[in-house]
């Protein structure tokens, strides 16, 4: 192929090697032509247009690139020679001639290479050579060229800037032609009345992670808006934002609104639904209709907030009956907040509770009754504060006594914020649960499993019924486990502790000794008890299940004893025949010891006959065994073994040789009158028994008293009557006594053995009464006026009669109550110490345990607060005065609380500053323990007053009737401050001013006298000089720098430390502002104009004398400024109004010496006027009505202004001026009445000093500055 097709305007393609020019430019045959004949080798032909270097060696683009590199190298060489000429001073003529020759060689030799695109004509080559020769002459002869002036003049076409009096570079046109001087216009138009209103139904809106946007309804009536501006106030920053809805978007909104209206309803108000995605307060700011007039707006604010959320801060789910629930509901919403939650106990009836949370720190308009749609007033729009609309995060404690066992379920049902947004978390609203899962992962409910407290008591063994066990044997301690509400105890092992005292160590009253042993064991509710074998007193102390601690019920004590082994002693008497006196048998007296009933085995053997075993059983300790054989002979009676109720295994008697023999070859009597086999009596009392005697008086009666194996024999002589009362000694030991009639002798002298016996049951202990323990102590704290139940522990035989009294009341008020339960309760409603006075059971008076006879009922004290005593706090009447401190010091006051933590404290902080307005705020905090502190605010100087106004704790809410506020005052002194009046300044003095020393003005703040320490350091010395100035009595002080401390050069003067009369001290930082002092000659400055008043936009010019550059110091708008001037002219553009005063000048020669001057020029602002607040306002009036046009002026009165009335043009046509009027105002505002339709706007304004107009001047259009003198 020949190549890619090219356009006509393209460069010719690079010739190929061996290609003819004619072929290159299209003069040859086409591709379909005949092939050219090959050239002959003998006579090659050289083309005169061929390049010097064939293209088959180096193609044309590469050759052009090499030429460009070569030319670039020449340029670099040329510039190096220029640099050597400037620095080394080489011969300019030689260098000029050299480069002219090099340029001519290069330029005229380039066509000889025949490189395409570089074959220029001779005219072009000559022009290029001349330009190179001129450039060589400029460089080598160093001819100056005003390039800077040319660039500045050229740049002004695109960038025109001047330096102003504020040292800023601005465009003069922006100052001269300031369109903001005349703003606003008012359009009077008669139109049918229309209106617009945001959210007319006052619907509440909120957004969250699920619903990210809401549609705000805008109701429009009798209007067709083309522009709506909506103001949005950010809830977090209080910053406002204007949302503009343009006509294109409004058309879409109107189409959507009209879809829901029928044809005959199109004239009714329409509801535009505008979508917003940000929270904030929305208000219609401006509505413009098709005629570009503002539509009347009905004031209505709409809040879009974050949707309210609620969750539960979970706690452990295992509780005991009577515990507090003690968990929190966490809510986050715009206050005031309403929270509904439900409570379900054991699948019973669900209860619903509603809580209200007011705003914490501010008064929310949402909590008041709204009479209009505005949430903030127009006056507060300049500095709006809508912090009350921000979401408030609150923890709500729920403390409820869990009085029923089983499952407790708390769940959040609903939360409502102050705007009316409601989130329903019940199962009927699954979208709310989905929203909650998206926004937070915290739970919505709290479940508790409430367990019973265990109870323990002894079964079948108490103070009256001990356990009897054979020696060396063990028995189960009969412990019965139960619970407070159920018959059966909870499953799982229980921890039981009991107190044990051996029998030998018991006190005389059968109580525990001081050295009693406390033991613990694990017991299963299904087990019958615990094996014990050692005799002594066992008393249960405590019981705990896997979840809760329990109570010990009565009976709680059990006595374990090892009775003596059974034994027997025998005495025998012959039973004679009354008539003949022969023996008819034996009457064997059996004296038994042990625990009846007894079982005695013996044998009867007749000589020569078989052995006959016999068994006799008796319940008595003394009995008679009558042995009357049926046959005569010699009989042998042998007692083999004995057993009783405790020792059931027979005990052999063979070792005692209890054998009786007889050859078998009636009388006085006595009996008991009491038919009852057993009598009961109290310990320590005697017993009287009636005895009937038979026979002839006088009688002698033998009886014996047996107790615990001890036998006491007694005899009563000379009994005259047949009915006799037998009175025993005082029965000092408890247990079973046996009184047996052993023998009786009448007048005949015959002694007859008897078998009469009765039993006396003596109580082991007297009845006892004591108060039980509540959570390990005999005292209880309860809320005021609540019913309190005091546990009783009664021992004895019911019913019980108990007397008790309240020691805090009159002593004669004794209450008597009867109880049938050993673990009954006393119900009281008054605080005090209750004391048990007396107890009596069914038969005996008893004792009250001294250590447990009192029970204290105290009301949970209401919370209180006290200021911790210290040397820095003094109490003065009704307040506490804290020691004065300096501003910025750290200080705190300690508080001690009484009550149950946590404590919720609210206090107010009131600051009365030394200067300025007072401030007050309210703060809250929660103290987790009984000690806390309030950090004293030391930021502002003045009297700080802290007043604790509210206090509540875990038990009580705040009650203003029972709480006295606590006031703490502290005065904070401002730290003294010392600053140089001209901090950072360099004080430059001439030599002639140095002789008397230098004064540097210093401003002092604080309470004089002051103590000042100043550091003076010379630039060439590392050691500073310190100057101490004591007793400075004024706030303005001229620091005198002695001449002896100043040397030639620069001195740095810095304030190191200051102290005032309060003792407050401030140590200045190393980088604090300082001043410098130098010495030099004085330049001068003179104003070019004599005038002193200038307008904004004019130029102020001065002439300078001295050696440039100059530094000009001046003040403008109370700010000291510094400007540099490189020439003797100094000019500034008056950009802003203010006083422009030249204060000093320095030049290059005398840079360290400042010439102080005072040349003042007053720059006046350009007069300004604003019509209708600077906006284009449309006023609709009825025919014949009037509208007010407000003109607001800026500048110096009086004001002269000109305004025009123009027609309201139809769309697409220009407005025409209908009239022009001038007026004057001596105030900054003026109102005129207008009834004609049109557009009213100001075209010219003039004040006392300056004027401005937008009218054409001298045939030229544009805004012109008119200066009036």
């Amino acid at each position: 192929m020949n190549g890619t097709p090219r356009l006509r305007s393209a460069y010719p393609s690079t010739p190929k090697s061996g290609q003819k020019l004619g072929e290159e430019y299209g003069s040859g045959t086409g591709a379909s032509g005949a092939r050219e004949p090959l050239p002959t080798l003998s006579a090659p032909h050289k083309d005169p247009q061929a390049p010097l270097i064939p293209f088959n060696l180096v193609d044309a683009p590469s050759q052009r690139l090499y030429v460009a590199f070569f030319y670039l190298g020449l340029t670099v060489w040329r510039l190096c020679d220029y640099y050597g000429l400037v620095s080394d001073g080489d011969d300019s003529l030689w260098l000029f001639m050299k480069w002219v020759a090099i340029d001519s060689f290069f330029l005229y030799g380039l066509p000889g290479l025949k490189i395409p695109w570089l074959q220029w004509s001779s005219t072009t080559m000559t022009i290029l050579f001349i330009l190179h020769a001129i450039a060589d002459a400029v460089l080598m002869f160093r001819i100056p060229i005003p390039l800077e002036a040319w660039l500045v003049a050229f740049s002004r076409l695109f960038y025109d800037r001047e330096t102003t009096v504020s040292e800023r570079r601005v465009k003069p046109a922006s100052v001269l032609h300031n369109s903001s001087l005349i703003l606003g216009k008012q359009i009077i138009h008669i139109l049918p009345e229309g209106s617009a209103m945001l959210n007319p139904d006052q619907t509440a809106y909120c957004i969250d992670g699920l619903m990210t946007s809401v549609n705000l309804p805008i109701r429009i009536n009798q209007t067709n808006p083309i522009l709506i501006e909506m103001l949005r106030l950010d809830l977090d920053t209080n910053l406002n934002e204007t949302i503009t809805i343009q006509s294109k978007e409004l058309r879409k909104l109107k189409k959507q609104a009209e879809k829901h209206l029928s044809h005959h309803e199109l004239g009714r108000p329409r509801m535009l639904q505008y979508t917003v995605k940000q929270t904030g307060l929305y208000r219609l700011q401006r509505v413009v209709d098709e005629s570009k007039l503002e539509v009347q707006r009905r004031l209505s604010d709409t809040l879009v907030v974050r949707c309210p959320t609620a969750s539960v801060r979970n706690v452990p789910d295992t509780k005991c009956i009577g515990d507090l629930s003690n968990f929190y509901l966490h809510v986050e919403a715009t206050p005031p907040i309403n929270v509904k939650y439900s409570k379900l106990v054991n699948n019973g009836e669900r209860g619903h509770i509603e809580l209200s949370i007011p705003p914490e720190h501010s008064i929310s308009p949402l909590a008041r009754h709204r009479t209009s749609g505005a949430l903030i007033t127009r006056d507060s729009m300049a500095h709006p504060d809508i912090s009350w609309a921000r979401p408030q995060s609150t923890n709500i404690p729920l403390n409820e006594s869990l009085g029923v066992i089983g499952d407790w379920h708390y769940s959040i049902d609903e939360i409502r914020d102050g705007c009316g947004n409601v989130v329903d978390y019940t199962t009927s609203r699954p979208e709310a649960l989905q929203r909650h899962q998206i926004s937070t992962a915290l739970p919505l409910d709290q479940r508790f499993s409430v367990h019973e407290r265990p109870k323990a008591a002894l079964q079948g063994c108490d103070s009256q019924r001990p356990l009897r066990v054979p020696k060396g044997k063990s028995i189960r301690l009969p412990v019965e486990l139960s619970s407070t509400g159920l018959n059966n105890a909870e499953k799982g092992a229980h921890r039981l502790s009991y107190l044990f005292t051996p029998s030998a160590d018991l006190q005389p009253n059968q109580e525990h000794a001081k050295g009693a042993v406390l033991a613990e064991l694990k017991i299963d509710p299904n087990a019958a008890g615990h094996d014990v074998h050692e005799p002594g007193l066992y008393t249960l102390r405590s019981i705990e299940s896997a979840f809760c601690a329990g109570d010990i019920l009565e009976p709680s004590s059990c006595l374990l004893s090892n009775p003596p082994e059974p034994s027997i002693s025998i005495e025998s008497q012959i039973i004679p025949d009354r008539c003949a006196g022969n023996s008819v048998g034996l009457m064997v007296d059996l004296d038994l010891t042990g625990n009846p009933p007894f079982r005695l085995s013996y044998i009867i053997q007749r000589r020569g006959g078989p052995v006959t075993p016999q068994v006799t059983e008796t319940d008595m300790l003394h009995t008679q065994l009558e042995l009357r054989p049926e046959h005569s002979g010699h009989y042998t009676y042998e007692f083999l073994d004995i057993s009783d109720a405790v020792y059931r295994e027979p005990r052999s008697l063979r070792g005692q040789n209890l054998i009786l023999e007889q050859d078998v070859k009636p009388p006085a009597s006595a009996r008991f009158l009491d038919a009852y086999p057993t009598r009961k009596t109290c310990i320590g009392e005697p017993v009287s028994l009636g005895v009937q005697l038979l026979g002839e008086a006088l009688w002698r009666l033998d009886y014996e008293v047996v107790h615990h194996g001890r036998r006491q024999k007694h005899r009563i002589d000379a009994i005259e009557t047949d009915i006799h009362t037998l009175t025993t000694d005082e029965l000092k030991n408890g247990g079973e006594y046996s009184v047996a009639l052993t023998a009786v002798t009448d007048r005949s002298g015959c002694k007859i053995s008897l078998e009469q016996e009765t039993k006396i049951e003596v109580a082991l202990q007297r009845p006892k009464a004591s108060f039980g323990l509540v959570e390990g102590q005999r005292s209880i704290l309860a809320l005021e006026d609540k019913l309190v139940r005091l546990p009783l522990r009664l021992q004895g035989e019911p019913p019980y009669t108990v007397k008790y009294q309240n020691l805090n009341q009159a002593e004669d008020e004794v209450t008597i109550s009867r109880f049938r339960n050993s673990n009954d309760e006393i119900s009281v409603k008054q605080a005090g110490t209750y004391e048990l006075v007396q107890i009596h059971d069914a038969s005996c008076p008893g004792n009250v345990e001294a250590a447990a006879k009192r029970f204290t009922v105290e009301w949970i004290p209401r919370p209180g607060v006290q200021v911790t005593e210290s040397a820095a706090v003094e109490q003065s009447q009704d307040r506490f005065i804290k020691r004065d401190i300096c501003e910025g010091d750290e200080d705190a006051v300690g508080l001690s609380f009484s009550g149950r933590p946590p404590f919720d404290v609210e206090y107010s902080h009131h600051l009365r500053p030394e200067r300025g307005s007072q401030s007050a705020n309210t703060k809250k905090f929660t103290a987790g323990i009984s000690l806390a502190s309030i950090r004293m605010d030391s930021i502002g100087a003045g009297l700080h007053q802290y007043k604790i106004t509210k206090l509540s704790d875990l038990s009580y809410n705040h009650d203003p009737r029972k709480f006295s506020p606590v006031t703490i005052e502290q005065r904070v002194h401002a730290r003294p401050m010392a600053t140089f009046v001209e901090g950072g300044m360099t004080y430059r003095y001439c030599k002639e001013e140095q002789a008397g020393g230098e004064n540097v003005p210093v401003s002092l703040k604080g309470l004089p006298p002051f103590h000042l320490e100043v550091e003076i350091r010379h630039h060439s010395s590392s050691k500073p000089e310190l100057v101490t100035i004591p007793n400075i009595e004024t706030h303005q002080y001229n620091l005198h720098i002695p001449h002896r401390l100043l040397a030639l050069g620069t001195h740095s003067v810095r304030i190191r430390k200051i102290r005032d009369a309060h003792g407050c001290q401030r140590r200045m930082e190393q980088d604090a502002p300082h001043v410098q002092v130098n010495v030099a000659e004085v330049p001068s400055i003179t104003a070019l104009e004599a005038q002193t008043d200038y307008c904004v936009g004019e130029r102020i010019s001065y002439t300078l004398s001295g050696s440039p550059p100059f530094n000009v110091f001046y003040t403008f708008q109370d700010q000291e400024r510094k400007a540099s001037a490189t020439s003797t002219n100094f000019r500034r553009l008056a950009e802003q109004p203010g006083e422009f005063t030249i204060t000093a000048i320095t030049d290059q020669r005398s840079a360290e010496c400042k010439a102080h001057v005072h040349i003042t020029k007053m720059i006046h602002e350009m007069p300004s006027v604003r019509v209708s607040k600077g906006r284009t306002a449309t006023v609709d009036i009825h025919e014949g009505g009037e509208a007010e046009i407000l003109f607001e002026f800026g500048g110096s009165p009086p004001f002269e202004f000109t305004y025009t009335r123009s027609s309201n043009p139809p769309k697409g046509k220009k407005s025409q001026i209908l009239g022009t009027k001038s007026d004057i105002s001596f105030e900054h505002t003026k109102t005129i009445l207008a009834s004609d339709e049109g557009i009213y706007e100001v075209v010219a304004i003039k004040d006392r000093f300056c004027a401005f107009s937008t009218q054409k001047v001298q045939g030229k259009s544009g805004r012109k500055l008119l200066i009036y003198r």
Side-chain angles (χ1 to χ4, degrees), residues 953-970:
D953 65 352
L954 184 63
S955 302
Y956 296 96
N957 294 326
H958 173 71
D959 189 351
R961 298 171 299 176
K962 298 184 180 181
F963 178 73
S964 299
V966 178
T967 303
I968 307 167
E969 291 184 353
Q970 184 180 51

Side-chain angles (χ1 to χ4, degrees), residues 1018-1031:
H1018 192 269
H1019 69 91
S1020 62
S1021 175
S1022 60
K1023 181 179 180 182
E1025 296 287 344
L1026 298 180
V1027 178
T1028 301
I1029 305 100
N1031 299 324

Side-chain angles (χ1 to χ4, degrees), residues 599-842:
R599 188 175 187 277
L600 182 63
S601 299
Y602 62 95
I603 59 174
I604 302 176
Q605 184 178 14
R606 182 181 177 188
R607 181 179 296 173
V611 176
T612 304
Q614 299 288 333
V615 176
T616 184
E617 294 183 358
T618 181
D619 294 330
M620 295 180 290
L621 297 176
H622 175 80
T623 187
Q624 287 183 332
L625 180 64
E626 182 176 327
L627 302 175
R628 292 178 180 267
E630 296 180 357
H631 304 281
S632 62
H634 183 81
Y635 286 85
T636 301
Y637 308 96
E638 182 178 3
F639 295 92
L640 301 178
D641 55 51
I642 188 173
S643 63
D644 63 3
V646 177
Y647 296 87
R648 297 184 180 277
E649 296 181 1
R651 300 284 197 253
S652 176
L653 300 176
R654 294 183 181 277
Q656 299 182 18
N657 195 24
L658 299 178
I659 301 175
L660 297 176
E661 294 183 1
Q662 180 188 26
D663 290 330
V664 178
K665 287 224 140 198
S669 178
R671 64 182 181 87
F672 289 109
L673 293 175
D674 191 356
Y676 295 101
T678 303
R679 298 186 59 179
K680 294 184 179 180
T681 188
C682 300
I683 190 171
E685 295 182 357
V687 177
S688 297
L689 303 173
V691 179
Q692 183 180 17
L693 301 172
L694 300 176
E696 297 182 4
L698 299 169
W699 288 277
R700 183 177 65 204
L701 180 64
D702 293 329
Y703 70 94
E704 59 187 12
V705 179
V706 181
H707 176 63
H708 284 181
R710 299 177 183 177
R711 187 183 304 274
Q712 295 181 356
K713 294 184 179 183
H714 302 272
R715 174 174 291 179
I716 304 174
D717 296 325
I719 301 175
E720 297 179 352
T721 61
D722 59 349
I723 301 298
H724 179 74
T725 299
L726 186 154
T727 302
T728 67
D729 297 335
E730 292 183 356
L731 305 180
K732 297 182 179 180
N733 296 322
E736 187 179 75
Y737 287 79
S738 294
V739 179
L741 301 180
T742 59
V744 63
T745 303
D746 62 358
R747 181 177 180 182
S748 62
C750 295
K751 184 177 181 181
I752 305 299
S753 297
L754 301 176
E755 294 183 355
Q756 291 288 323
E757 183 179 2
T758 186
K759 295 184 182 296
I760 301 173
E761 190 71 30
V762 180
L764 293 176
Q765 294 179 344
R766 286 186 176 272
K768 295 180 182 180
S770 64
F771 279 115
L773 298 177
V774 175
E775 296 183 359
Q777 55 187 0
R778 292 181 180 88
S779 63
I780 189 171
L781 288 175
L783 298 178
E784 290 186 10
D785 302 328
K786 295 293 183 180
L787 183 66
V788 181
R789 300 183 185 275
L790 310 183
L792 285 177
R793 299 294 180 260
L794 305 176
Q795 298 181 16
E797 184 178 357
Y800 307 96
T801 302
V802 179
K803 295 182 180 180
Y804 63 93
Q805 65 179 354
N806 188 344
L807 297 180
N808 293 6
Q809 297 179 350
E811 295 183 359
D812 55 351
E813 293 186 6
V814 177
T815 304
I816 301 176
S817 298
R818 299 179 67 84
F819 304 96
R820 291 190 173 276
N821 190 351
S822 298
N823 300 282
D824 221 319
E825 296 174 336
I826 298 177
S827 299
V828 298
K829 294 189 69 175
Q830 295 180 347
T833 300
Y834 290 85
E835 182 181 58
L836 297 177
V837 178
Q838 186 179 359
I839 181 176
H840 197 288
D841 67 354

Side-chain angles (χ1 to χ4, degrees), residues 1172-1192:
S1172 300
K1173 301 291 184 180
R1175 298 181 300 174
T1176 300
T1178 300
V1179 178
D1180 298 332
I1181 62 174
H1182 295 285
E1183 188 68 28
E1186 291 182 336
E1188 291 185 350
I1189 304 177
L1190 175 63
F1191 297 90
E1192 297 175 310

Side-chain angles (χ1 to χ4, degrees), residues 535-591:
L537 182 61
Y538 295 83
T539 301
L540 304 183
R541 283 302 184 188
S542 65
I543 182 69
E544 293 180 5
S545 68
F547 306 100
C548 306
D551 299 326
I552 299 298
L553 305 181
E554 295 295 339
S556 61
S557 297
C558 181
L559 184 64
L560 177 65
S561 63
N562 294 141
E565 296 182 357
S567 63
I568 185 173
S569 63
I570 61 175
E571 291 182 2
S572 63
Q573 292 182 358
I574 297 174
I575 303 175
D577 183 21
R578 294 186 176 183
C579 296
N582 296 327
S583 174
V584 295
L586 285 178
M587 184 64 67
V588 181
D589 293 332
L590 301 178
D591 295 326

